[in-house]
Amino acid sequence: GMRFAFRQARAGRVVMCVDSTDLLNKRHLDYSHNNSGGSGKDSDKNDLWLTAYPLDCEDELSFDSIVVYHSPQLLSDADQDKIHHAVIITYGNGVPTSLSARNSFLQKYQQQQHSSSISNENIIQVSVVDVPCISQLPKQLVVYLKEYKPQWIVFADVCKQGASMPLNGMALQLQNEGLLSDVRWKIVGASATYNPLGTSLTFLNANDVRSTLLSII
């Protein structure tokens, strides 16, 4: 979307881009289920956040685009009737945080299935949706939710808990569109406290995202 943003700016549109210091040097996804950035071992260095530079420079993300990270489970055709969909909507450094939360959630959910506390007849798929433009409701998000019809949605906002979270307004617009009427949903944000310089301790936390999803399922 950066190339599209530059092109819009050159055409006279005012575009504001907010970077995330947590993403500047990120290469790996933390699957250690905490907020400490992993154990520091070589096994943590999975390069899962690295992506190839697009070969087609005409292939741009517009302000109405979203990026969907589909659930990783491999399912057979016979399983399709058992699937229940959950979606985590986020942006910025909330994307790798939500991907880590999804991995942790699926592991915990599978453990609960094995202990027979959850029916094996149900399969939950969790997709993470990145909404790069947070100043408006992306048209692709509306289309995606209408087609995908999730039963649960978590809005994982990287801003501190409160009225200033951008996803608050997005959730309100989706509610007014009637897209949340039959959905169980919650919003989770970062800790409502001062962020000490040089630490990610008060950032949006993967454990909080996972716990929020578990609380509505």
Side-chain angles (χ1 to χ4, degrees):
M2 186 61 72
R3 292 192 304 275
F4 180 82
F6 276 126
R7 196 157 56 79
Q8 296 298 308
R10 292 191 189 101
R13 185 169 182 174
V14 177
V15 180
M16 178 180 289
C17 297
V18 182
D19 74 334
S20 169
T21 54
D22 189 46
L23 292 182
L24 292 180
N25 297 307
K26 184 177 288 293
R27 295 177 56 188
H28 317 297
L29 289 182
D30 176 19
Y31 281 166
S32 61
H33 309 161
N34 56 44
N35 209 36
S36 64
S39 64
K41 299 178 181 178
D42 289 341
S43 58
D44 292 328
K45 299 178 180 179
N46 49 39
D47 287 334
L48 290 178
W49 189 239
L50 296 181
T51 56
Y53 191 84
L55 298 176
D56 183 5
C57 291
E58 299 300 319
D59 184 15
E60 297 177 336
L61 294 178
S62 73
F63 295 140
D64 281 310
S65 299
I66 61 173
V67 180
V68 181
Y69 298 82
H70 294 285
S71 199
Q73 299 109 304
L74 297 177
L75 303 175
S76 66
D77 292 339
D79 291 327
Q80 297 305 311
D81 292 337
K82 304 176 184 178
I83 296 175
H84 300 272
H85 298 290
V87 171
I88 303 173
I89 297 175
T90 188
Y91 62 94
N93 58 292
V95 178
T97 299
S98 296
L99 290 172
S100 296
R102 176 179 71 180
N103 183 76
S104 175
F105 167 83
L106 291 175
Q107 288 186 355
K108 185 176 182 64
Y109 178 76
Q110 289 168 358
Q111 290 171 359
Q112 289 177 327
Q113 278 190 315
H114 293 155
S115 66
S116 299
S117 61
I118 294 180
S119 171
N120 288 321
E121 293 300 313
N122 296 326
I123 299 172
I124 295 181
Q125 288 197 313
V126 183
S127 296
V128 175
V129 176
D130 178 11
V131 286
C133 182
I134 56 175
S135 61
Q136 64 186 40
L137 179 61
K139 293 178 181 178
Q140 283 191 9
L141 180 61
V142 173
V143 172
Y144 174 80
L145 294 179
K146 285 181 177 179
E147 294 180 351
Y148 199 59
K149 295 181 174 62
Q151 283 121 310
W152 309 281
I153 295 177
V154 171
F155 295 90
D157 204 307
V158 303
C159 290
K160 300 184 187 306
Q161 292 271 16
S164 62
M165 294 193 299
L167 294 185
N168 280 345
M170 197 170 292
L172 176 61
Q173 292 180 70
L174 289 172
Q175 178 69 36
N176 289 341
E177 293 276 348
L179 294 174
L180 300 183
S181 301
D182 300 320
V183 179
R184 295 192 66 186
W185 60 277
K186 276 188 177 182
I187 300 178
V188 61
S191 301
T193 183
Y194 169 75
N195 183 53
L197 188 63
T199 178
S200 60
L201 183 63
T202 60
F203 284 10
L204 180 68
N205 190 294
N207 286 334
D208 289 341
V209 177
R210 182 193 69 177
S211 297
T212 301
L213 181 57
L214 283 169
S215 72
I216 60 176
I217 291 180

